[in-house]
Structure formats: C-alpha cells, structure tokens
Amino acid sequence: MPLNLPLSALEQHDEFIGRHIGPCSTEMAAMLAAIGAESLEQLIEQTVPAAIRLPADLPLPAPRREHEALADLKAIASKNVVNKSCIGMGYYDTMTPKVIVRNVLENPGWYTAYTPYQAEIAQGRLEALMNFQQMVVDLTGLEIANASLLDEATAAAEAMTMARRVSKSKSNRFLVDANCFPQTIDVVKTRAGYFGFELVIATVNPQNGPKIESEDFFGALLQYPGDNGEVRDLTATIAALKTKGTTVAVASDLMALVLLKSPGAMGADIALGSSQRFGIPMGFGGPHAAFFATREAFVRSMPGRIIGLSKDARGKTAYRMALQTREQHIRREKANSNICTSQVLLANMAGMYAVYHGAEGLRTIAGRIHRLTAILAEGLKRAGVSLLTKQFYDTVHLDLGARAETVYHDALAAGYNLRRVSAGVLGISFDETTTRADVATLFKLITQVTLDMDAIDAQVAAADSALPDALIRSDAVLQHPVFNTHHTEHEMLRYLKSLQNKDLALDHSMISLGSCTMKLNATSEMIPVTWPEFGGLHPFAPRDQAVGYLEMIDGLTEWLKTITGFDAICMQPNSGAQGEYAGMVAIARYHASRGEAHRNVCLIPKSAHGTNPATAQMANMKVVVVDCDDSGNVDVADLKAKAEEHKDDLACLMITYPSTHGVFEEAVRDICAIVHANGGQVYMDGANLNAQVGLTSPGFIGADVSHMNLHKTFAIPHGGGGPGMGPIGLKAHLAPFMADHAVQPTGDANRVNAGQGAVSAAPFGSASILTISWMYLAMLGGEGVKKATQVAILNANYVAQQLKAHYPVLYVGKNGRVAHECIFDIRPLKAATGISETDIAKRLMDYGFHAPTVSFPVAGTIMVEPTESESKAELDRFIAALVSIREEIRQIENGVWSADNNPLKNAPHSQADVIDGDWKHPYSREQAVFPLPWVAANKFWPSVNRIDDVYGDRNLNCACPPMEAYAD
C-alpha cells in the first residue's frame, strides 16, 4: 500500500526512469526468462567483457522529477539576458509563425522521424524538403539545390572542396573574399589546411589597386551582402574569375535575395548560406539549416542529400532521396562529402516559412527590414555620422571614433547588442523583429537628437540610393502553387497535417534501426528548446549575457566527462559527422605538435560506419582497411600486422564499440594497446555509446578521443535527418587541440594552443538543443542511465532470441549474447526464394513498422536496435510481424505464391491497392493490408507504392512537380 511506503518513495524522484524505459519490472522478468538470464546483472556479465566493466557506478547526481528538472533549468535559463540583437554576421532574430512552432517544431510527428531512406513512408517530409529545395533554387537563381547542410560556414567549406572536384584549373589556390564572415573564414581555413589547399584571403575587386581576380585559383568564395553590409554587383568579378577556370561560390542571405539580384544571375556556380532567418530561432548558434545550390551540370559533385522525383509501382509521382548510390555508405573514402550533414527539421521549418508567407509576404518582410535600415542610415548621414557602408540591405558600419564605446555601452543599457567591428567602428544589423521604435531609440543613442521618421521614410521610398535599380532582382520567385496556397492559418494547419499523415515516426510505432538509436524523445526534454531565454541569444552575444547558457553547457560537459571517462569535452561539432572530423583534426594537430605531421595512415575495420572513411579523407588521411574475422570481430592479427607495417606513419585507428556487428569485442583493449604501441591514437566512433553508458566508457577502454551522438544516446531527436550534435571527448594530451573559434574563443585565452581553428560556425555548435540532453541526464541520473543501457541490451537480446529460429543471427559474443543491436542474415532466404532484405523492409510497412537498417554493415542483412524505450508489448508486435513475414516467405518456398507476385515483392500496399477493381494477386486484399489482427486497429497507410529508384536517377528532377502531378 502507498500509505505504508516511506516518504522518500512517495516523493518519486526516479519517476522519469520508468517513463523513459519501456518494460516494467514484470515484463523484464519475463524477457530475462525467455533469454535464459536470471537478472539484468547476469545478462550484463554475459555480454560486456569483464576487463572493461566499470568498477563502480557513475558518480552522477540523483534523478529528478520532470517538473523539478524543468524548474532547475528554468532557473539557469533566467540568468541569460535576451537583448535585441543588432550584431548580424549571419544570425538574426526572426518570428517563427506559431502554426509552425506548434505543428512542426513542437510536434513529435515531425521531430521524431528518421532520415527518409524508406521513402514510401516519408512522403510528407520529402515533399517539405522539396519545397525547401525549390525555395532555394528560386532565390539563388541556380538550377538545383540540396536538402540542407549544417551551417553557413561548413557549407562554404563544402563549396571549396566541390570547387576542387569540378574546376578545370590546375591551381591549388582557393580565394576567399576578406569581406566574408569571420567564422566562415575560420572554418574554411581549418578544412583547407587538411586538404593541402593554399588559401588566399584578399579584398576582391577593390575600387583602387590590383585586381586579384585576374590570378589563378581553382575556386573562390565571395560574400553577398558582405560582412560589412556592402551590396555590390559581382557579375564582372565572377566573369573575370571564371575566365581563368575558377569555380565561383557566393555566400548569401535568403532574405536579402528576396529583393536582390541573384547569385545565379551574376554568373555564380554555387550559392550557399543559412536559412536561419526564415523562422528559425538564433539559439546561441543553432541548429540552423544551411542551403546549397549549384548548376545542374555539377549535381553529381554536390555535397549533401538531394530530394528528387520518381514514380511508384502504379506510376504515381513520388519523392525519394536521389543519387543515393554515390553516398559515403557506398563510396566510403571516395565520397563527395560526409552525408550525415543535414538539418532536415530546420530546413522543413524554413521551407514552411516561405510556404506560409509566399512571395508577397516575404517581399513585405524583406522590404520592411531594408526600409528601417535605410531610414536609420539616411538619418545618421544627415546628422553627420560617417557611414562606411554605402550600398546595403540590412547592415551598416558606422565610424564613430572615440564615441564608439560610449554608444556601444549606452545601447547595452537600453537593451540592444551592437557589433564591435574594430576600434571606433560599430555595426548595426536589422531583422524581421526590428520596429520603428527600435530605429528611433538607436538613432537617439547615436546622435542625441530625435529622428524625423516619417519625413525620411518618404524620401527613401521615393529614391533609395542604398539599393540601385541594377541590384534589384527583376525575375519572379516562388511562383509554384505551394507558395501561393497556404497563407491562412487554417490552410497551413491542414497542409502540415496532410504531410505529417504520410510519415511514419516514433509517435506511431518503434523504429528499429541498428546504429541509430531511435529512443524516446521525452516531452519534458523538448520544452526548453523553445524558451526565449535559450532561443533568443545570438552566438556572439556578450558572454555576460549568456551566463545561463554557459552554466548549462558546463554542467552537461561535466556529466559527459563522467560518463565517457574523458578529461575534456568540445561542444562545437554540430553533427556526428562533424564530431568525427573534429576528433580526427585533434589527432592530426597532436601529431604535428610533436613534429610528426607525416603520420597520416588511418586504420579502419571493414565493419565501420561509412562516415568513418569519408571523414578520414577529409582530414587528409590515407585509409587502410583492417579485416574482420568470421565472428564479425576485428581481426587482431591483421590489425597488428598493418599497425606495424605503417608504424612510422600511423596516425590512428577508427573503431566503433560495441562493434557495428552488434557485439562487445573481447580484444578491444588489446586493439587499443597495439595502436598505441605503434605511435597511433584511438578514435572511437560514438554511434553505439548507448550500449556503454554506466557499464563501461571509451576512456576506460583505452580510446583517446570519441564523438558522442547526442541525437542518439542522449535523446536529441533525429528530426527526419537532423538536427544532431556530436561533441567530442578527449584525453588530456589531446585536449589542447580541440576546435576553438576566431570570433568567440571557447576556453581560457591563456591556455596552451589557444586559437585552434573552428570546425563549425558557432562556438558551441547547435547550443539550443543541448538543453535536451541536459534534461535527459538530469531526469535519469546515474541510476537511470545505467538501467537504460542494461535494458537496451536486454531488449536486443530478447528480439534476437525470439527471432533467431526464423532468421539466423549473424554475429554474437562469446557467450552467445548480442550487444544493443543484432544482425539477421537474409542471404539464405534470398538464395532460396529471391526475397531480399529490401522486400522484408517494404513489407514491414504494411504491418505499421519502419524497416530496420538494411544491408549495413553486411550486404543482405537487416540490423535491429530496439532501444530501451520500447515496451515488451511493442517488441512482441514487431517480433510477430517478422515471424508473420517469415511465414509469407515460406509460402513462396512451398510454391503457393510465385517469386514475382507475392505480398513481399508487391509491398508496400497503399489504399489504391485496396480499391483496385483489377486485383491480380494470389493473396487477398485483407492479407495485403491487414496481415495481423492488430494492424487494422492502428493502420498506417503508405501514401505511395514501391518507388522506382532507377527511374528517379535516370530522370533526375529535383524541383517541385506541377500541380497536375498531385492530381495524378
């Protein structure tokens, strides 16, 4: 009876543990009995090698109730000061339409979905991404766009490497306009250094002096509008560069491009930038979706994901990720880029911002921003203030001389953050939230007189010298019906709902993807993301305004250090892929500091994630592949031989632990020792950290650096393919070589090796979503995170045990256990029946489930990771679905159904199949769409039938289809 319990039990400080972890104690007991283990502790003893198990529980704080954790974080958030930001530099305050806040950003139907590799059950977000691509194509004036990158600075770095791939120039030099944002230059410097490019930072097209554009470069990066706010026609400059074979990229601003002549119209080959000001909060740096567009001739060299059109089995227009065969999971170290570099949720929001406002609405917003800037500038000129920016969109630099500091501090006192550009020079940038009252206040602060707003407004409206006619775009944009239909909230709400209904996310059923850890993204974890105290801060705001942010980040840092066994954490990488890159860069810097810059050989097991070799080549390392044995483990003898063969040049080993094959390798400490003995460092991929927390740790095992996918292990949602965060943990000897930041240093200015180049645009990456992982750890505490890991391993072993009689489990540990995921071998079934792992994946959609990971890390297999958040009932439904599918395959084996006309080859089945009057299949409609009794109770209908990938690649179309396509 509750009345007999002690108060400590009634207080329920551990209540969230039971809400996050799916199985209750009774269910756990039944599952343990099914797999032949007496307790969770015994299961862990049988699974995790004794040599690497932690000797004691993690010294983390006790768990907190949800409302307690929220109150604690709110108190921390209240220490932030949210001034009106006029800093600019690519980050601007914005107004997210509330219909998008509530129905996309705060909606688990959008934020808990996985990357749309299974296109048939992702048509909603694929359409939303196509809208984003169309918006970018229209505004940049180029022919094709991708579905987002991480941020503007990393997009610029991608443009540089793409320019090298497509340029006909033999030069090794890359030109960067000195008028680019400083954080962009910082990231490009880092990337260029490891590719061996010679970076030339210079003023492009000066009014007086030699024209550097007449020299030889393989590529060039220009900024439009520039860092100083200046807007100039780049047509002649681009033409001059291209006569020498230079591939020209232009970093730009989508809001400015609503009004301005496009980069494409000026001859640019690539346009890039941030879509942040299209309704995405600044969030102290992110997450934000970068945009990237180019000419169609370069599409196969473009980084990132591209959404394209194809046809389904009924000939219906359908969306899919195009050109997938070129991605890094196929091409590995020959990949164009690291594909795990997108911000889908944020791209969807930005695209919907354009859908909601339409061309006219955006022109009004963009026009208002410019008008307010022009009024301030004209007023300041009349008052005798020296303006350094002559032609501008939203930013002006003022030369105030000795008065600059006084004005800066007066503005702070009035609640405004201005930009300190240099001694005596301040920058002011306006945005969507700026009002006439703001303009009047700032004018009064600067001049000490009152602005005659209406008179100057009339003058600027009649003749605006800041934007000459030659710079105003004349072409129509956003003419597609999708941007001209959903302008009332009712229409927008229904459009968003119609897209959500086409997508299978965690709000419907489990997503059992191996190595992707699709666990609960709890509501309490998500709530702080939209608090203005976290969303409203500019990443370069004065640090005394970000006291709460820094306290939250420091607290999370300490918890992660405890969990991982590392001495330092770098929070800058804004994806797992960036974490890999940051870790490899730290290793390269460490070797260089010891006079061993020649160490460039990276050992990578065959079983590794495809991101690993792609990242290694980005760090200018030579990949040497290490074999795996028949049990899926790293072949220690082969590793030892190759480490010794390359000992003079060995930089590192990249290893995933537990292995991508789903087992805890017994020899992992020996593997680390071999690499260290031959002069290398150990990089541990953090993809499978969810199987380590509280039981072992990368630092305890012997790793020197590791990234942590906060969007996997620590509950940040996948968002349909991003956002993510991939901070790295480093041992003490590598800590001095972590990424820093040119604009806002991330550590003590007096530390050794201060000034290491950045890997991402913002000092702390996508800082606003760090609140999610803070809440996750605060509510689970040390007790909860350990139990979560134990149950993740229990759930995986339960699934493996229940299914192994139907599908062979490919790899197990020495005691017959799997880690937190397991691989089922479909190859014997395919040999016997022609049914492939893809057919099983598509058939699972008819049962209401997303497919497991297909053909990775072994072709012809499926990899299942159930996570700790799934209850026994949900696991049993998933198991029942796969058992039923095995019985369907047996019908093919027995000749009841032909190899080419059966429920698997025809899957998924849509509503169109059910009403088809010409049913020509040897199984019933009911068997097609309601294969088990419980499916009908919560039926998810794929909106299209199986999509023809080959047709999509042969008929590449990456723009919004005409309306008649929807009618069809």
Side-chain angles (χ1 to χ4, degrees):
M1 286 285 292
L3 294 179
N4 298 326
L5 294 174
L7 177 60
S8 59
L10 294 172
E11 287 174 320
Q12 291 184 290
H13 291 296
D14 61 353
E15 67 174 352
F16 182 73
I17 297 174
R19 291 174 180 171
H20 175 79
I21 294 173
C24 66
S25 57
T26 302
E27 291 174 331
M28 286 185 211
M31 294 162 71
L32 286 164
I35 66 173
E38 294 180 2
S39 65
L40 278 176
E41 289 70 26
Q42 186 188 66
L43 172 63
I44 299 307
E45 289 173 3
Q46 294 170 352
T47 306
V48 183
I52 63 166
R53 289 202 295 272
L54 295 174
D57 289 339
L58 295 174
L60 288 171
R64 300 176 225 190
R65 300 184 72 184
E66 293 183 55
H67 73 279
E68 292 171 340
L70 282 167
D72 291 345
L73 190 54
K74 190 70 171 180
I76 293 172
S78 69
K79 299 176 185 179
N80 291 330
V81 176
V82 185
N83 272 6
K84 277 221 166 192
S85 177
C86 299
I87 297 170
M89 299 177 69
Y91 299 94
Y92 309 89
D93 206 355
T94 185
M95 297 179 187
T96 313
K98 300 306 181 188
V99 67
I100 296 176
V101 173
R102 177 62 56 86
N103 296 289
V104 180
L105 179 58
E106 296 179 343
N107 184 349
W110 286 87
Y111 66 68
T112 69
Y114 183 59
T115 305
Y117 289 118
Q118 296 293 337
E120 293 85 356
I121 51 175
Q123 289 295 293
R125 86 195 82 113
L126 285 167
E127 180 174 329
L129 289 173
M130 185 68 91
N131 295 343
F132 175 83
Q133 289 181 180
Q134 184 70 61
M135 172 190 79
V136 172
V137 164
D138 283 3
L139 293 176
T140 61
L142 287 162
E143 297 158 359
I144 195 160
N146 70 17
S148 77
L149 292 174
L150 292 176
D151 58 40
E152 182 167 342
T154 55
E158 295 285 4
M160 174 178 64
T161 54
M162 177 180 158
R164 178 63 285 172
R165 290 192 293 272
V166 303
S167 176
K168 294 180 173 59
S169 171
K170 302 299 184 185
S171 172
N172 191 45
R173 305 167 81 214
F174 185 76
L175 173 64
V176 177
D177 187 352
N179 205 16
C180 289
F181 292 137
Q183 69 270 21
T184 299
I185 295 174
D186 193 12
V187 171
V188 171
K189 273 184 182 177
T190 302
R191 193 77 66 91
Y194 292 98
F195 279 117
F197 301 150
E198 180 185 345
L199 209 61
V200 178
I201 302 170
T203 300
V204 177
N205 195 16
Q207 291 185 345
N208 299 296
K211 305 289 189 183
I212 196 166
E213 55 265 32
S214 65
E215 299 180 20
D216 287 327
F217 303 98
F218 72 81
L221 175 68
L222 313 177
Q223 187 100 31
Y224 167 80
D227 177 56
N228 61 3
E230 197 72 39
V231 179
R232 54 196 174 88
D233 194 332
L234 301 174
T235 305
T237 302
I238 292 172
L241 286 163
K242 292 177 75 170
T243 60
K244 307 286 285 186
T246 304
T247 300
V248 182
V250 174
S252 194
D253 179 322
L254 288 181
M255 190 64 79
L257 291 182
V258 173
L259 301 181
L260 298 181
K261 184 177 180 181
S262 70
M266 293 187 290
D269 300 300
I270 300 168
L272 60 100
S274 173
S275 65
Q276 179 266 315
R277 66 192 311 174
F278 273 35
I280 315 300
M282 289 185 288
F284 207 45
H288 307 136
F291 65 88
F292 195 101
T294 188
R295 304 203 175 276
E296 194 164 353
F298 299 148
V299 63
R300 292 181 182 271
S301 295
M302 183 163 64
R305 301 170 179 153
I306 309 167
I307 309 307
L309 292 177
S310 189
K311 301 283 187 183
D312 76 352
R314 287 181 165 270
K316 181 180 178 181
T317 298
Y319 302 94
R320 58 182 279 277
M321 286 173 58
L323 304 176
Q324 288 184 19
T325 55
R326 70 174 175 81
E327 305 306 357
Q328 93 280 330
H329 58 280
I330 302 295
R331 298 192 64 192
R332 297 173 70 84
E333 71 273 12
K334 296 182 177 64
N336 287 336
S337 68
N338 197 321
I339 196 65
C340 297
T341 50
S342 63
Q343 302 276 25
V344 169
L345 182 68
L346 297 313
N348 285 337
M349 289 177 63
M352 290 304 171
Y353 180 93
V355 168
Y356 193 48
H357 288 297
E360 284 304 311
L362 290 178
R363 273 193 287 269
T364 300
I365 294 168
R368 181 172 68 245
I369 294 169
H370 174 68
R371 178 64 59 81
L372 292 170
T373 312
I375 289 170
L376 177 66
E378 182 61 29
L380 291 175
K381 281 195 292 186
R382 289 186 184 185
V385 175
S386 174
L387 265 65
L388 301 180
T389 314
K390 307 304 181 187
Q391 294 180 171
F392 53 83
Y393 166 63
D394 64 1
T395 297
V396 290
H397 285 188
L398 319 176
D399 187 349
L400 296 175
R403 292 193 60 247
E405 281 301 296
T406 299
V407 170
Y408 178 82
H409 288 286
D410 287 347
L412 278 179
Y416 296 89
N417 289 345
L418 307 185
R419 178 185 176 187
R420 281 185 172 122
V421 178
S422 60
V425 177
L426 297 180
I428 298 177
S429 295
F430 286 161
D431 57 46
E432 181 185 7
T433 68
T434 305
T435 65
R436 60 173 60 210
D438 296 327
V439 176
T441 299
L442 289 170
F443 182 82
K444 186 74 174 285
L445 283 170
I446 296 167
T447 66
Q448 306 303 307
V449 297
T450 301
L451 178 66
D452 187 347
M453 179 84 66
D454 292 335
I456 296 179
D457 178 35
Q459 175 188 326
V460 174
D464 184 357
S465 61
L467 283 183
D469 289 344
L471 284 171
I472 303 297
R473 76 182 307 150
S474 57
D475 56 320
V477 296
L478 304 180
Q479 296 302 293
H480 188 274
V482 76
F483 300 109
N484 294 279
T485 305
H486 312 289
H487 296 164
T488 69
E489 183 164 332
H490 233 157
E491 290 166 328
M492 189 65 179
L493 176 66
R494 289 167 179 164
Y495 181 54
L496 291 172
K497 177 62 173 170
S498 72
L499 297 187
Q500 180 188 336
N501 288 346
K502 297 176 182 179
D503 282 15
L504 193 150
L506 277 174
D507 61 339
H508 183 272
S509 59
M510 71 180 287
I511 299 178
S512 60
L513 289 149
S515 278
C516 282
T517 316
M518 300 289 290
K519 63 170 70 177
L520 171 72
N521 311 123
T523 306
S524 289
E525 294 158 5
M526 301 303 296
I527 285 173
V529 173
T530 51
W531 288 349
E533 298 94 330
F534 287 128
L537 259 69
H538 192 288
F540 306 144
R543 282 293 180 259
D544 60 2
Q545 294 178 12
V547 171
Y549 248 121
L550 298 177
E551 181 178 334
M552 182 271 293
I553 292 170
D554 287 346
L556 181 58
T557 294
E558 290 304 312
W559 291 341
L560 291 177
K561 283 162 62 175
T562 299
I563 288 167
T564 61
F566 287 118
D567 302 303
I569 304 287
C570 174
M571 288 291 191
Q572 191 174 115
N574 50 5
S575 77
Q578 284 296 99
E580 288 182 18
Y581 180 66
M584 297 300 279
V585 166
I587 289 172
R589 287 171 175 165
Y590 167 74
H591 286 311
S593 76
R594 294 159 52 88
E596 295 185 314
H598 61 276
R599 288 190 174 273
N600 69 341
V601 170
C602 177
L603 302 178
I604 300 182
K606 275 185 178 177
S607 62
H609 286 92
T611 58
N612 291 171
T615 299
Q617 69 86 24
M618 288 170 63
N620 199 31
M621 292 191 183
K622 176 185 175 184
V623 174
V624 173
V625 177
V626 177
D627 287 336
C628 293
D629 62 23
D630 292 340
S631 299
N633 300 311
V634 172
D635 185 327
V636 178
D638 187 57
L639 171 79
K640 189 171 190 293
K642 286 172 177 169
E644 291 176 351
E645 177 188 352
H646 297 284
K647 64 182 179 182
D648 294 335
D649 298 310
L650 182 62
C652 62
L653 164 75
M654 295 186 84
I655 187 172
T656 302
Y657 199 78
S659 76
T660 312
H661 288 154
V663 295
F664 283 93
E665 299 191 39
E666 297 285 331
V668 64
R669 278 200 159 158
D670 295 336
I671 289 168
C672 294
I674 289 168
V675 173
H676 289 146
N678 287 281
Q681 298 287 292
V682 175
Y683 179 91
M684 186 170 285
D685 186 312
N688 294 342
L689 192 60
N690 203 50
Q692 290 190 40
V693 177
L695 305 180
T696 184
S697 73
F700 187 68
I701 291 168
D704 300 288
V705 58
S706 176
H707 80 268
M708 300 149 239
N709 290 306
L710 299 190
H711 50 288
K712 293 183 182 182
T713 302
F714 299 99
I716 293 174
H718 285 62
M725 274 292 277
I728 57 171
L730 310 99
K731 286 292 192 179
H733 65 283
L734 290 183
F737 305 101
M738 71 172 71
D740 203 339
H741 201 276
V743 181
Q744 287 274 24
T746 55
D748 182 354
N750 297 319
R751 68 195 182 285
V752 176
N753 296 308
Q756 301 282 345
V759 297
S760 300
F764 298 102
S766 296
S768 68
I769 56 174
L770 294 175
T771 55
I772 300 170
S773 297
W774 190 98
M775 285 290 297
Y776 172 83
L777 291 173
M779 293 188 295
L780 281 177
E783 171 192 349
V785 294
K786 179 180 179 179
K787 189 172 183 181
T789 308
Q790 292 173 321
V791 176
I793 293 172
L794 169 63
N795 283 1
N797 278 278
Y798 178 70
V799 169
Q801 175 67 31
Q802 299 298 88
L803 287 173
K804 69 180 183 180
H806 307 279
Y807 305 92
V809 178
L810 192 56
Y811 301 116
V812 295
K814 75 171 187 178
N815 295 317
R817 301 299 187 191
V818 298
H820 64 310
E821 61 191 8
C822 55
I823 298 175
F824 295 109
D825 194 353
I826 311 302
R827 292 171 295 185
L829 287 176
K830 185 175 182 180
T833 66
I835 294 298
S836 70
E837 67 282 0
T838 298
D839 298 321
I840 294 172
K842 302 306 181 188
R843 182 59 173 152
L844 269 170
M845 297 177 191
D846 290 327
Y847 289 78
F849 287 108
H850 194 290
T853 300
V854 173
S855 283
F856 175 81
V858 180
T861 66
I862 58 175
M863 181 162 62
V864 174
E865 181 181 355
T867 85
E868 69 273 15
S869 294
E870 300 301 341
S871 67
K872 180 176 181 294
E874 183 72 355
L875 296 179
D876 285 341
R877 280 190 288 271
F878 178 74
I879 291 163
L882 280 172
V883 171
S884 177
I885 289 172
R886 181 64 185 90
E887 291 305 311
E888 292 174 348
I889 297 171
R890 194 163 281 115
Q891 298 281 67
I892 302 166
E893 289 176 303
N894 296 337
V896 176
W897 296 329
S898 68
D900 60 353
N901 190 5
N902 56 70
L904 286 97
K905 286 295 182 184
N906 295 327
H909 297 82
S910 66
Q911 288 180 326
D913 293 315
V914 178
I915 61 173
D916 192 343
D918 187 24
W919 183 262
K920 295 180 178 178
H921 305 310
Y923 52 93
S924 68
R925 288 176 170 86
E926 183 177 11
Q927 190 165 9
V929 300
F930 301 133
L932 288 174
W934 47 263
V935 174
N938 188 30
K939 176 64 180 176
F940 178 86
W941 289 99
S943 55
V944 296
N945 291 83
R946 192 175 303 197
I947 295 173
D948 187 337
D949 289 328
V950 174
Y951 177 91
D953 281 348
R954 288 179 176 172
N955 302 273
L956 190 63
N957 184 342
C958 300
C960 286
M963 287 307 290
E964 53 265 27
Y966 297 108
D968 292 342

